[in-house]
């Protein structure tokens, strides 16, 4: 509930992937479950009405890969018949003075401006 499958499954034989397009219908934490030959894999997908949610949620088969690529997540079970289970969310944008910018650009520019404005009061020299 809360998620709608819009397209898929599409099998990309070259990359060894199966892809679905899933759209969030309501806000909240929604469970997404993939059932195959092995143990079912369950992933929680956060859908925020405001603020910023995670850009990507990934679970990897090996614990080392999980720690390197998504340290907040749990690795896939050894019984799961998958190497990777990933939910890619749309890119983040921030509205600043009427401009829509990628969040990293706006963060960088605002951080630099704040540093320049506070430079003298913090007694910092460049």
């Amino acid at each position: 509930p809360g998620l709608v499958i819009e397209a898929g499954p599409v099998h990309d034989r070259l990359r060894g992937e199966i892809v679905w397009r899933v759209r969030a219908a309501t806000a909240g934490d929604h469970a997404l479950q993939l059932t195959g030959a092995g143990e079912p894999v369950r992933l929680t997908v956060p859908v925020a009405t405001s603020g910023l949610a995670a850009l990507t949620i990934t679970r990897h088969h090996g614990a080392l890969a999980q720690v390197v690529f998504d340290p907040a997540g749990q690795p896939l079970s050894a019984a799961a018949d998958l190497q990777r289970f990933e939910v890619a969310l749309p890119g983040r944008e921030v509205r600043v003075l009427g401009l829509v910018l990628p969040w990293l650009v706006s963060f960088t520019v605002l951080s630099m401006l704040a540093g320049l404005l506070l430079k003298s009061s913090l007694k910092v020299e460049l």
Side-chain angles (χ1 to χ4, degrees):
L3 298 175
V4 178
I5 297 176
E6 292 187 331
V10 175
H11 188 192
D12 183 348
R13 294 184 195 279
L14 186 62
R15 295 176 67 182
E17 295 180 347
I18 300 174
V19 180
W20 286 265
R21 182 175 22 190
V22 180
R23 178 180 52 83
T26 60
D29 288 340
H30 304 292
L32 190 60
Q33 182 170 314
L34 185 62
T35 306
E39 179 180 297
V41 177
R42 190 174 172 95
L43 198 64
T44 302
V45 180
V47 179
T49 54
S50 64
L52 298 174
L55 287 175
T56 305
I57 305 160
T58 308
R59 292 180 66 187
H60 293 271
H61 187 68
L64 178 61
Q66 185 67 43
V67 168
V68 171
F69 294 110
D70 189 6
Q74 295 293 322
L76 291 170
S77 161
D81 195 25
L82 297 171
Q83 291 299 313
R84 188 181 82 220
F85 186 32
E86 178 178 355
V87 176
L89 303 173
R92 298 176 180 167
E93 294 177 340
V94 177
R95 191 173 287 276
V96 178
L97 302 172
L99 298 172
V100 178
L101 301 170
W103 74 271
L104 186 57
V105 172
S106 59
F107 175 77
T108 303
V109 170
L110 292 175
S111 296
M112 295 299 288
L113 287 174
L116 289 172
L117 290 173
L118 297 173
K119 175 178 83 145
S120 58
S121 63
L122 294 175
K123 297 182 173 68
V124 176
E125 292 186 26
L126 299 177

